[in-house]
């Protein structure tokens, strides 16, 4: 039976015992509350307040998925404190119960503070207040009221999902209780995973009919919740619910509530995967009907020569993320979280991609992709390096010199430059996603892709690390995929950026979720390969069956459910690299203990010669244990509420 816990909105702090409780239960001024819903303009401000709690994915410090995985690494522990980048310190095993890092439960340690809109329980409270009062607004028609209420209902469900994904079983907070409620009645306890997922989905389903299908005024409404958004996120939520961490997980059989009922269902359910597949299909159909499609880059008329197909492929994956307008692939974006000059210049771009402006210090690229993730991309034949029998996998760390003159490498690598073997003959998503020593960097000011900037990251080169304590890549790689090609490095210290919003969901992600769900239901099928191959074709690769048949040492791999599962997971790692997906994927797949218990590697970036620069350096040796699948709750919060269980194994 579902039990919905309530948040008390009191007028006297004495009823609360503490004004610092996790739900941020603070007294509300009734007069001010009535004024907030006295007219449409004021109510709209409250609506946007409800939106403001969406976690900011482009916040390098507060996004758990950016640095808690193995995709990025920072250059030196001496440069960044635990309070600066708690997500990175989580990756290094510093999570704790005394003062949890990225504490979205209490709103501490970059999980929120008193002067921002990050605390998700506070967001849920404000959503409840909005839903209780929106029908009082006099100068709005019923249709608009219902639409706004539906948007906020979705947001409330999404905030529950975000907390569930971090903490596992959580309380369901469906409404605010009456003023002057007995404090003993507002303590709360966790509810089972299945109950919370069912609640979230029921709220989204209930909101769906009153949402607009797609934004009607893109400039004003981009980022608002629509049926496309709700269906796409429902699909992701149901895929998460069906995944091994939450579906048939027998690791937590002793984790029970006060009635000794299990909070995790240890029985695996095919119905969860079937529901996920249905939701994915409905979301895709709705998106397609509204004109959504995979982004494919069209060269600008300013180019004097037709670019290579490989350049078009690479630009398509870059622009699928960084194009903010007329992007048919974006399904939901967070306009409150943009990749601005600081993100792109300081964090993502190498110093300086333009050899003619090497003295410009406005870029630095300290968010450094690891060798680990660079190895994950396919060869040019569309299969993993370790499976491609035509690829010299044993020599992937050997040095090679790029041929001079006209060669198949001249658009991706610098002719005459000596680099490492693993930089040769890779797929276009590799060259579109990563910048590295010996690579090229195509930007909007180039009238030909042959003029793309050469990247020399060794000492003395245009992209080399300087004496800056922080602005340099500690691994030798930077995330080209997250850099807009409209950015301009000017004379002196001039640097302008084309800002873009954080992409919460794009169509390519939805395709991969659908393929995953279909494979879990019925195993390999033509429909699965259709969606996988559409993504691969956009990046210049042949289909899965053809690629594995012609180039893999395991040609029958796509024909089994287990083999195709591995392929789909690898496709997600590659296609969605640096988009804050891999971390959550590793958790829900229950593979984090395998993937994240390995050393993090980078190149020896301070060395002058190719022979010494391309020595692998262990940046850190990670340790991920079973308890790390969920965030701990602070000891102080447990003391405040004796009904609340600590997270499993903490």
């Amino acid at each position: 039976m579902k039990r919905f816990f309530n948040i008390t909105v009191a007028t006297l702090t004495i009823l609360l015992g503490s004004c610092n409780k996790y739900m941020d239960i603070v007294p509300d001024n009734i007069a001010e509350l009535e004024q907030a819903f006295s007219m449409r303009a004021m109510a709209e401000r409250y609506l946007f307040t409800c939106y403001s709690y969406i976690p900011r994915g482009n916040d390098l410090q507060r996004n758990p998925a950016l640095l808690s995985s193995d995709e990025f690494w920072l250059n030196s522990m001496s440069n960044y404190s635990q309070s600066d980048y708690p997500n990175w310190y989580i990756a290094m095993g510093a999570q704790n119960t005394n003062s949890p890092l990225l504490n979205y439960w209490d709103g501490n340690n970059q999980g929120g503070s008193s002067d921002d809109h990050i605390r998700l329980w506070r967001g849920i409270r404000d959503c409840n207040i909005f839903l209780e009062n929106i029908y009082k607004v006099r100068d709005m028609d019923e249709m608009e009221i219902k639409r706004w209420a539906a948007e906020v209902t979705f947001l409330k469900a999404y905030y529950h999902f975000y907390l569930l994904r971090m903490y596992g079983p959580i309380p369901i907070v469906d409404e605010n209780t009456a003023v002057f409620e007995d404090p003993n009645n507002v303590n709360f306890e966790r509810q089972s995973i299945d109950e919370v997922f069912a609640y979230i989905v029921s709220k989204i389903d209930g909101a769906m009919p009153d949402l607009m299908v797609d934004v009607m005024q893109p400039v004003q409404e981009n980022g608002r919740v629509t049926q496309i958004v709700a269906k796409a996120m429902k699909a992701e939520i149901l895929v998460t619910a069906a995944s091994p961490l939450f579906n048939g997980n027998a690791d937590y059989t002793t984790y029970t509530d006060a009635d000794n009922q299990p909070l995790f269902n240890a029985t695996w359910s095919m119905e969860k995967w079937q529901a996920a597949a249905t939701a994915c299909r409905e979301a895709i159909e709705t998106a397609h009907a509204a004109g959504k499609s995979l982004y494919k880059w069209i060269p600008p008329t300013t180019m004097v020569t037709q670019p290579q197909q490989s350049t078009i492929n690479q630009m398509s994956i870059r622009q699928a993320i960084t194009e903010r307008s007329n992007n048919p692939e974006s399904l939901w974006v967070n306009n409150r979280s943009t990749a601005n000059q600081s993100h792109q210049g300081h964090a993502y771009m190498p110093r300086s991609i333009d050899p003619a402006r090497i003295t410009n210090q406005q870029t630095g690229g300290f968010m450094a992709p690891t060798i680990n993730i660079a190895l994950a991309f396919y060869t040019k034949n569309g299969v993993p390096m370790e499976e491609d029998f035509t690829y010299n996998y044993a020599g992937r760390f050997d040095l090679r010199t790029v041929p001079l003159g006209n060669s198949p490498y001249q658009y991706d690598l610098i002719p005459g430059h000596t680099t490492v073997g693993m930089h040769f003959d890779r797929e276009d998503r590799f060259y579109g996603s990563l910048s590295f020593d010996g690579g090229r960097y195509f930007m909007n000011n180039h009238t030909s892709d042959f003029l793309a900037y050469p990247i020399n990251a060794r000492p003395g080169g245009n992209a080399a690390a300087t004496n800056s304590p922080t602005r340099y890549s500690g691994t030798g790689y930077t995330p080209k995929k997250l850099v807009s090609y409209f950015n301009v490095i000017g004379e002196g210290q001039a640097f302008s950026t084309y800002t873009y919003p954080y992409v919460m969901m794009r169509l390519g992600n939805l395709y991969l979720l659908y393929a995953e769900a279909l494979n879990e239901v019925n195993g390999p099928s033509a429909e699965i390969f259709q969606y996988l191959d559409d993504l691969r074709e956009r990046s210049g690769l042949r289909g899965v069956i053809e690629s594995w048949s012609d180039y893999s040492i395991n040609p029958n791999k796509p024909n089994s459910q287990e083999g195709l599962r591995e392929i789909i997971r690898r496709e997600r790692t590659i296609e969605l690299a640096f988009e804050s997906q891999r971390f959550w994927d590793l958790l829900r797949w229950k593979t984090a203990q395998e993937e994240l218990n390995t050393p993090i590697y980078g190149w020896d970036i301070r060395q002058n010669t190719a022979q010494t620069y391309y020595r692998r350096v262990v940046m850190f040796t990670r340790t991920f244990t079973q308890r790390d699948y969920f965030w701990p709750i602070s000891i102080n919060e447990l003391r405040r509420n004796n009904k609340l269980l600590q997270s499993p194994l903490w």
Side-chain angles (χ1 to χ4, degrees):
M1 181 175 65
K2 293 184 180 179
R3 291 161 292 173
F4 295 162
F5 288 84
N6 304 327
I7 300 176
T8 298
V9 180
T11 58
L12 297 174
T13 57
I14 192 172
L15 293 179
L16 306 173
S18 170
C19 62
N20 193 34
K21 289 191 176 182
Y22 87 103
M23 290 181 183
D24 187 44
I25 308 174
V26 296
D28 293 287
N29 185 299
I30 300 301
E32 290 182 359
L33 189 60
E34 291 178 353
Q35 183 180 6
F37 294 94
S38 62
M39 61 184 65
R40 183 186 184 279
M42 297 297 291
E44 188 174 42
R45 291 174 60 183
Y46 212 109
L47 170 68
F48 295 153
T49 295
C50 293
Y51 271 96
S52 72
Y53 293 101
I54 298 173
R56 298 169 186 173
N58 276 320
D59 192 319
L60 306 182
Q61 299 166 297
R62 289 174 170 158
N63 184 342
L66 277 177
L67 278 164
S68 299
S69 181
D70 58 354
E71 292 182 293
F72 287 112
W73 209 252
L74 302 186
N75 42 48
S76 173
M77 289 181 65
S78 63
N79 294 331
Y80 309 100
S81 70
Q82 183 170 295
S83 60
D84 290 330
Y85 288 93
N87 44 3
W88 187 41
Y89 277 81
I90 288 174
M92 294 186 286
Q95 188 60 284
N96 66 96
T97 57
N98 186 51
S99 182
L101 304 178
L102 279 186
N103 185 354
Y104 277 80
W105 193 284
D106 292 350
N108 297 321
N109 286 343
Q110 298 286 12
S113 62
S114 60
D115 60 350
D116 63 29
H117 294 287
I118 298 296
R119 289 178 287 181
L120 294 181
W121 291 117
R122 178 179 171 182
I124 290 170
R125 183 205 65 172
D126 279 350
C127 287
N128 284 333
I129 291 173
F130 182 92
L131 293 172
E132 291 169 359
N133 291 278
I134 184 60
Y135 288 92
K136 300 176 183 177
V137 182
R138 294 186 295 272
D139 60 340
M140 291 179 63
D141 62 54
E142 184 179 5
M143 181 178 295
E144 187 172 45
I145 287 176
K146 286 183 176 180
R147 177 160 69 88
W148 287 12
E151 292 178 39
V152 172
T153 298
F154 169 87
L155 291 173
K156 181 169 72 168
Y158 179 74
Y159 298 152
H160 277 84
F161 169 64
Y162 204 96
L163 288 163
L164 178 152
R165 192 167 54 170
M166 293 183 73
Y167 294 95
I170 62 169
I172 293 172
V173 181
D174 191 52
E175 60 183 20
N176 298 336
T177 58
V179 175
F180 304 121
E181 177 65 64
D182 185 336
N184 293 324
N185 295 334
V186 299
N187 277 344
F188 51 90
E189 60 182 319
R190 294 177 185 258
Q191 295 175 250
S192 74
I193 287 293
D194 286 350
E195 284 180 299
V196 182
F197 271 118
Y199 168 79
I200 292 168
V201 172
S202 70
K203 287 297 176 184
I204 294 175
D205 284 343
M208 198 78 69
D210 292 320
L211 294 170
M212 52 185 170
V213 176
D214 197 5
V215 293
M216 295 176 283
Q217 303 176 73
V219 175
Q220 295 90 349
E221 297 176 331
N222 195 32
R224 295 279 289 271
V225 174
T226 63
Q227 287 188 14
I228 291 175
V229 169
K231 289 184 178 182
M233 298 311 297
K234 175 186 172 181
E236 182 182 53
I237 290 165
L238 285 174
V239 168
T240 302
S243 297
L245 184 63
F246 300 109
N247 186 8
N249 188 346
D251 293 339
Y252 308 117
T253 54
T254 60
Y255 194 66
T256 59
D257 65 14
D259 298 325
N260 205 33
Q261 296 300 307
L263 293 173
F264 286 84
N265 189 341
T267 303
W268 181 81
S269 170
M270 171 61 77
E271 287 73 20
K272 291 181 180 180
W273 278 116
Q274 291 171 333
T278 298
C280 288
R281 184 182 66 252
E282 291 178 357
I284 290 172
E285 289 174 349
T286 300
H288 285 172
K292 303 296 183 181
S293 62
L294 296 180
Y295 186 98
K296 294 186 179 179
W297 183 67
I298 299 175
T301 56
T302 54
M303 296 192 69
V304 297
T305 61
Q306 176 66 21
Q308 301 294 304
Q309 184 60 47
S310 61
T311 300
I312 295 174
N313 299 339
Q314 294 166 31
M315 286 304 305
S316 292
I317 191 64
R318 288 174 66 184
Q319 290 295 95
I321 305 304
T322 62
E323 179 52 66
R324 67 172 182 247
S325 59
N326 300 318
N327 186 342
E329 188 161 350
S330 291
L331 303 184
W332 191 26
V333 298
N334 184 358
N335 284 314
R336 290 179 57 86
S337 181
T338 58
N340 55 29
Q341 181 170 345
S342 178
H343 294 97
Q344 296 187 62
H346 301 172
Y348 303 151
M349 289 185 73
R351 184 204 69 88
S352 153
I353 59 173
D354 185 351
R357 294 176 172 83
I358 195 171
T359 59
N360 192 312
Q361 298 293 308
Q362 294 304 304
T363 57
F366 67 84
M367 287 285 290
T370 64
I371 292 178
N372 309 53
I373 198 67
L375 290 169
F377 289 83
Y378 294 147
T379 69
K380 65 180 182 181
N381 296 320
V383 298
M385 295 170 63
E386 64 272 21
E387 289 188 37
D388 191 335
F389 59 74
T390 72
Y391 197 85
N392 182 16
Y393 183 67
R396 64 195 181 281
F397 299 129
D398 295 343
L399 298 181
R400 290 176 60 180
T401 300
V402 183
L404 292 170
N406 189 16
S407 80
Y409 305 114
Q410 62 183 328
Y411 290 90
D412 298 322
L413 302 173
I414 306 170
H417 194 89
T418 299
T419 187
V420 72
M422 60 178 281
H423 292 165
F424 287 79
D425 299 311
R426 304 298 296 277
E427 61 164 313
D428 282 325
R429 287 180 294 191
F430 175 83
Y431 299 112
S433 298
L434 290 165
S435 171
F436 51 85
D437 177 60
R440 307 289 298 277
Y441 220 112
F442 176 70
M443 299 295 281
N444 185 52
N445 58 308
H446 293 127
T447 57
S448 168
D449 51 353
F450 183 74
L451 300 175
Y453 294 130
I455 300 300
N456 185 338
R458 299 203 288 271
N462 62 305
T466 64
N467 293 327
S468 167
T470 58
R471 292 189 191 177
Y472 66 91
S473 165
T475 65
Y477 293 97
T478 58
K480 185 193 298 183
K481 182 183 187 179
L482 301 182
V483 175
S484 171
Y485 98 120
F486 292 114
N487 293 352
V488 177
I489 296 179
E491 298 294 340
Q493 300 303 306
F495 176 55
S496 62
T497 51
Y498 176 91
T499 61
Y500 61 89
Y502 178 72
V503 180
M504 305 283 288
M505 173 64 72
R506 64 180 175 95
L507 190 61
N509 187 353
L510 194 54
Y511 282 4
L512 290 167
L513 291 172
Y514 187 35
E516 181 179 352
L518 283 179
N519 184 56
E520 296 301 328
V521 173
N522 292 316
S525 69
E527 189 174 13
I528 295 174
F529 293 122
Q530 171 194 334
Y531 284 102
L532 294 178
D533 292 352
D534 282 350
L535 279 171
R536 290 167 63 89
E537 185 276 332
R538 192 252 298 270
S539 296
L541 299 176
R542 291 189 291 175
V544 170
I545 294 290
E546 186 178 4
S547 296
W548 258 261
S549 176
D550 290 350
Y551 296 104
S552 175
I553 59 176
N554 186 7
N556 292 319
K557 187 175 181 178
N559 300 323
S560 71
Q561 184 182 54
E562 182 178 352
L564 187 54
R565 179 186 298 127
E566 184 179 328
I567 290 171
I568 291 169
R569 290 179 176 182
R570 186 72 165 254
E571 286 282 349
R572 285 190 64 81
T573 295
I574 294 169
E575 175 70 23
L576 304 174
F578 316 134
E579 297 179 41
S580 302
Q581 294 294 326
R582 176 168 166 79
F583 177 69
W584 299 119
D585 281 344
L586 294 180
L587 295 187
R588 68 181 179 85
W589 293 332
K590 281 187 65 181
T591 59
Q593 284 175 272
E594 304 167 25
E595 299 279 353
L596 301 182
N597 272 315
T598 54
I600 298 294
Y601 288 105
W603 301 119
D604 199 350
I605 62 166
R606 297 291 184 180
Q607 302 303 315
N608 289 284
T609 67
Q611 288 77 13
T612 54
Y613 179 94
Y614 284 110
R615 293 186 301 206
R616 282 197 305 165
V617 174
V618 176
M619 310 285 291
F620 191 83
T621 299
R622 286 208 53 169
T623 301
F624 188 100
T625 66
Q626 187 176 335
R627 74 177 186 178
D628 295 317
Y629 280 103
F630 297 106
W631 260 248
I633 295 174
S634 70
I635 292 174
N636 284 339
E637 186 58 37
L638 296 176
R639 288 171 178 162
R640 294 189 188 105
N641 181 2
N642 58 12
K643 292 185 179 181
L644 186 62
L645 289 174
Q646 179 58 280
S647 297
L649 305 178
W650 281 96

